[in-house]
Amino acid sequence: MKKIMLTGIKPTGNLTLGNYIGVLKHLKDYQDEYESYIFIADLHALTLPIDPKILNQNTRDIVAFYLASGLDFNKSHIFLQSSVSEHAELNSIMINYLYMGELSRMTQFKEKSKNMNYSAIGLGLFAYPVLMASDIILYDADIVPVGEDQRQHVELTRDLVRRFNSRYNTDVLKEPKAIVNKTGKRIMSLSDPLKKMSKSDPKGDIYLKDDEKTIRKKIMSAVTDSDCKIIYDKENKPGISNLLTIYSSLKDISIEEAEKEFENANYGTFKRAVADAVVNELLPFQERYNQIINSNLINEALIKGRDAAKIKANAKLKEIQKVVGLYEIKQ
Ligand code: TYM
């Protein structure tokens, strides 16, 4: 039997080069060897206020991006989290097995809520990792490819699995493993390389839909330093290190190889080479996206994905309901 891979992307904004290098680019490599469940975490997108129209558009976009990245919906199950109601149902069970203390220690929660008035923080934002754990548990996922920022949530899922299995003396839940790439696990902002590239920072982000001129402009004006050496040193040269990471990830070479290539280059030459690498990767990708975004492939993929995911998720939910003692009505 094939092992199971699962991951998701939240449709809260325009996808960035960080999403692409951290996860999206690699997903097609799993689809032959693993039974793959790849979804759009649309329920998670509601944890912070979002315009319904934008949520809708972002959702379509992510499906098109998945397909443009080389995922084949006849091999990988691509679906909407909200179209498989078992996610929400399992969430309402699992919410009882994670604790206020551990949820309040999650880095993402602390970051997202730090400028918010405590009494107005939505419960969904606080309980975000419970739904994410439910997403993973429902499919018996063996591996969960994510960027570094999501590793903590997968670790918490592992804690939950162990706690639940031990409480009920069962092995009904499978412990997932986060797969985080060595290079490219955390692409930083181009305008502030101490900050993660995230979906809401127009100056520091490269968006997957940016045109060539914008991409080149953003990379040429990326914040660096005045030392003129192209070496990887995250602490003292975060900007150059970030550009080296982007370059080596897109070229599929090691950081050392990239350093060697630019041993005698100046920052201008190096930045142009990084811009070329990004443009060469993203332009063909955008072409595929443009062919898909208004086609019927989006719906076709989502129907097929939903139907397959539902079968798997429903069987698991039933097993879990039985373990906790929820009564099954005999037909
Ligand atoms: P999201 O939508 O924030 O990000 C999608 C994926 O992209 C990775 N990522 C990055 N990788 C490298 N550098 C960056 N700057 C960067 N920014 C984002 C993220 O780590 C992520 O893997 N909670 C998830 C969605 C989710 C999920 C799940 C993922 C919901 N349920 C179950 C896996 C399994 C999220 O918000 O990702």
Side-chain angles (χ1 to χ4, degrees):
M1 239 180 30
K2 281 186 178 175
K3 290 204 163 185
I4 295 169
M5 180 277 253
L6 170 136
T7 199
I9 298 180
K10 195 170 49 181
T12 40
N14 283 319
L15 288 205
T16 70
L17 191 63
N19 299 122
Y20 185 80
I21 290 178
V23 178
L24 188 54
K25 165 181 178 328
H26 307 281
L27 295 181
K28 64 175 184 313
D29 302 336
Y30 293 99
Q31 65 185 352
D32 289 318
E33 202 185 325
Y34 287 81
E35 188 180 331
S36 301
Y37 292 88
I38 298 169
F39 64 98
I40 294 92
D42 51 357
L43 293 173
H44 274 116
L46 296 174
T47 55
L48 284 173
I50 183 164
D51 179 327
K53 280 203 203 84
I54 292 187
L55 174 56
N56 242 266
Q57 181 55 46
N58 291 346
T59 301
R60 273 188 82 82
D61 268 356
I62 296 182
V63 183
F65 284 140
Y66 277 147
L67 296 175
S69 77
L71 286 172
D72 172 352
F73 66 83
N74 291 308
K75 292 183 183 169
S76 299
H77 309 302
I78 298 174
F79 62 99
L80 303 179
Q81 184 185 36
S82 64
S83 73
V84 180
S85 56
E86 284 77 1
H87 288 249
E89 290 181 69
L90 185 59
N91 181 61
S92 65
I93 295 179
M94 287 305 152
I95 206 152
N96 302 299
Y97 303 89
L98 281 171
Y99 304 143
M100 306 278 283
E102 52 199 0
L103 290 174
S104 63
R105 282 193 296 276
M106 291 290 109
T107 308
Q108 182 176 293
F109 172 70
K110 286 200 276 191
E111 270 170 17
K112 298 220 155 151
S113 61
K114 75 174 175 238
N115 295 323
M116 290 167 82
N117 174 354
Y118 181 79
S119 54
I121 296 173
L123 261 185
L125 185 65
F126 184 67
Y128 184 109
V130 183
L131 180 57
M132 182 157 161
S134 304
D135 299 336
I136 298 171
I137 286 168
L138 266 181
Y139 299 91
D140 280 335
D142 293 285
I143 60 164
V144 183
V146 281
E148 183 63 34
D149 63 323
Q150 295 297 322
R151 188 202 287 275
Q152 196 183 32
H153 290 157
V154 181
E155 291 303 321
L156 187 65
T157 305
R158 289 164 66 86
D159 293 344
L160 168 67
V161 166
R162 286 195 289 268
R163 181 177 299 158
F164 185 96
N165 282 349
S166 127
R167 184 169 310 175
Y168 293 100
N169 195 18
T170 167
D171 57 4
V172 68
L173 305 188
K174 171 152 321 151
E175 237 180 271
K177 189 166 177 279
I179 302 285
V180 179
N181 282 308
K182 217 169 125 235
T183 327
K185 60 187 179 188
R186 193 173 173 84
I187 300 296
M188 309 306 276
S189 158
L190 296 177
S191 59
D192 176 1
L194 298 176
K195 233 178 64 192
K196 188 187 76 168
M197 188 182 278
S198 69
K199 292 172 196 142
S200 50
D201 168 22
K203 266 198 5 233
D205 277 352
I206 290 187
Y207 294 118
L208 298 186
K209 290 210 258 182
D210 278 347
D211 61 27
E212 176 168 356
K213 204 167 143 214
T214 311
I215 295 173
R216 289 191 184 278
K217 195 164 155 221
K218 285 182 181 171
I219 294 180
M220 293 315 286
S221 47
V223 169
T224 51
D225 52 60
S226 53
D227 152 79
C228 291
K229 284 199 199 75
I230 300 166
I231 46 172
Y232 189 89
D233 175 351
K234 247 182 119 177
E235 231 157 71
N236 300 308
K237 298 168 70 66
I240 289 292
S241 303
N242 191 36
L243 292 175
L244 274 168
T245 304
I246 292 174
Y247 186 80
S248 55
S249 308
L250 293 178
K251 291 276 186 176
D252 278 324
I253 59 173
S254 66
I255 297 271
E256 294 74 28
E257 285 171 301
E259 282 175 332
K260 198 140 195 10
E261 200 176 324
F262 296 103
E263 219 168 17
N264 300 313
N266 60 32
Y267 282 4
T269 312
F270 173 51
K271 281 180 166 178
R272 260 189 301 281
V274 178
D276 285 344
V278 175
V279 165
N280 288 340
E281 181 89 13
L282 290 192
L283 291 196
F285 176 75
Q286 290 175 353
E287 222 168 274
R288 292 193 294 276
Y289 162 89
N290 286 329
Q291 284 163 3
I292 296 164
I293 188 66
N294 290 318
S295 79
N296 200 32
L297 288 176
I298 306 260
N299 251 15
E300 236 182 277
L302 289 179
I303 290 172
K304 208 158 186 231
R306 175 199 62 197
D307 292 349
K310 182 114 193 139
I311 293 171
K312 181 99 179 162
N314 191 264
K316 192 77 213 176
L317 178 67
K318 289 249 161 69
E319 265 185 85
I320 297 169
Q321 286 172 330
K322 195 164 168 203
V323 166
V324 300
L326 294 178
Y327 191 83
E328 190 190 358
I329 305 167
K330 303 276 180 295
Q331 298 295 337

